[in-house]
Amino acid sequence: MTSVDALAAGPLFGLPLPELWFGLVFTMLATFLFLDGFDFGAGAIFALLESEDERETVLAAIGPFWDGNEVWLVVFGGALFAAFPAAYAGLFSRHYLLMFGVLGALILRGLAPEMYEQRHNAAWQRWWGRAFVAGSVLAPFLLGVFAGNWLVGSGRSLTLVGLVVGVTLTLLTVVSGAAFLQLKARKRLPEAVTTYGTAATVGYLLAVVATLGVLALRLPDGLSALLTPTILALVVASVGLGAGYVVALRREWSLRALGAAAAMTYGLVAVVATLMYPHIDPAAGATVRDTVVSTLPLNLMTIGASLLLPLVAVYFVTLYSAFRGPISPEEAY
């Protein structure tokens, strides 16, 4: 038997590769929502700051990171396309307007800081500052709308569950953004940033309750789908993490607060993945095993991912190590 025949004979090492790739896809999505999430949150907080120095501090804090963080959105889309092409085609064909909206918001969020720094004119910077805020808020909101529609299998662009999940995710990015700005800016931003993070945490937890209420009405299994040990444990953990985040933020334990925000982000995505499984395209009734590619390409992709993902991790460790610590007063975007 040749090596190709061996790879085509069965799953690599007998592993449940369809389920592993399902988990990997959602892990990549959660990683993007956390890493780019604190950039989005910083952009939302940018709108609430008054002085030019404070706004420049926000831009300097996220400057080295935001474009690298967006790599995870590409990795998420690529993994979904490679492992579950039928699900990818169905999702993006039904929600192409939302996807164009997300891309437009990301373009605006990336372009606005560059244009903001080109001219030190009040009207010019006011316009591009607003564009930066709009992109930073619209991107997570529209991603949340997409995720909510994906979860309940809706083919419509705007649904109640989508809107509620969009608000939930947007608030969560502000939670992450406040912790990140406190970590990077220290005393260069007003104490109000702590207040914004605290208020966003309370809003996020209330939005989670609202999301669960809407899902209880919208999911085929209703309330019983939510009353499972896994979902209940994730919800309770979110409340505990939210309380820990508030304490850490108020005591200026910035790294702990950011860690709590990360855990809440991964927990939220875990709730979505748990409610969806074994389906990956609920609108079509397609399960993970229905839509996964054949054995040979799945094995080859698994080998490739096991080699490439550690390299991506090394890149991000290097990036964050090179720009660790608070920003200095002379740093700019």
Side-chain angles (χ1 to χ4, degrees):
M1 180 182 292
T2 66
S3 58
V4 173
D5 291 334
L7 286 172
L12 198 66
F13 303 122
L15 295 170
L17 293 184
E19 286 75 18
L20 288 177
W21 273 91
F22 177 81
L24 184 61
V25 164
F26 279 94
T27 300
M28 291 172 177
L29 176 60
T31 302
F32 167 73
L33 293 177
F34 169 61
L35 291 181
D36 218 22
F38 60 67
D39 296 332
F40 294 143
I45 291 171
F46 180 94
L48 303 173
L49 301 176
E50 297 180 358
S51 76
E52 180 64 22
D53 287 342
E54 291 168 355
R55 296 192 185 103
E56 290 288 351
T57 298
V58 170
L59 295 178
I62 68 170
F65 306 110
W66 71 264
D67 50 350
N69 292 339
E70 288 188 355
V71 167
W72 287 102
L73 182 60
V74 178
V75 174
F76 158 71
L80 183 63
F81 171 74
F84 307 101
Y88 176 93
L91 280 169
F92 284 82
S93 62
R94 284 192 298 272
H95 300 295
Y96 69 94
L97 286 177
L98 276 176
M99 289 299 97
F100 275 113
V102 171
L103 290 175
L106 290 174
I107 291 169
L108 191 61
R109 198 281 304 268
L111 177 64
E114 301 288 346
M115 301 301 293
Y116 183 91
E117 296 291 342
Q118 294 302 310
R119 292 174 58 186
H120 293 281
N121 173 275
W124 173 272
Q125 291 193 323
R126 183 168 56 252
W127 198 96
W128 285 109
R130 290 171 179 171
F132 174 58
V133 172
S136 298
V137 172
L138 282 174
F141 176 73
L142 293 176
L143 280 167
V145 172
F146 169 75
N149 291 341
W150 182 9
L151 172 59
V152 299
S154 175
R156 297 168 53 198
S157 294
L158 293 178
T159 62
L160 178 59
V161 66
L163 293 173
V164 173
V165 175
V167 171
T168 302
L169 184 57
T170 304
L171 288 168
L172 184 55
T173 64
V174 178
V175 172
S176 299
F180 179 75
L181 289 178
Q182 189 185 77
L183 177 68
K184 296 296 292 182
R186 298 292 169 89
K187 299 296 185 180
R188 294 184 59 194
L189 289 176
E191 288 292 328
V193 171
T194 300
T195 304
Y196 301 149
T198 301
T201 303
V202 174
Y204 167 71
L205 294 175
L206 292 174
V208 167
V209 173
T211 299
L212 295 175
V214 173
L215 289 175
L217 299 174
R218 187 66 177 79
L219 290 173
D221 295 333
L223 186 61
S224 61
L226 304 175
L227 297 179
T228 64
T230 301
I231 298 298
L232 291 175
L234 288 168
V235 172
V236 171
S238 294
V239 175
L241 287 165
Y245 168 90
V246 171
V247 171
L249 199 67
R250 289 187 174 279
R251 296 185 180 182
E252 298 186 1
W253 298 340
S254 308
L255 195 57
R256 296 181 188 181
L258 193 60
M264 283 190 280
T265 304
Y266 280 91
L268 179 64
V269 175
V271 168
V272 173
T274 302
L275 289 173
M276 190 180 299
Y277 183 80
H279 294 93
I280 193 167
D281 187 4
T287 66
V288 170
R289 290 188 174 266
D290 290 335
T291 56
V292 74
V293 294
S294 59
T295 302
L296 177 59
L298 191 62
N299 284 340
L300 291 173
M301 286 192 305
T302 302
I303 294 171
S306 67
L307 297 174
L308 292 176
L309 287 179
L311 294 178
V312 175
V314 169
Y315 163 77
F316 275 90
V317 169
T318 303
L319 172 66
Y320 280 86
S321 297
F323 294 97
R324 67 183 181 277
I327 56 176
S328 59
E330 63 272 9
E331 284 188 67
Y333 179 78

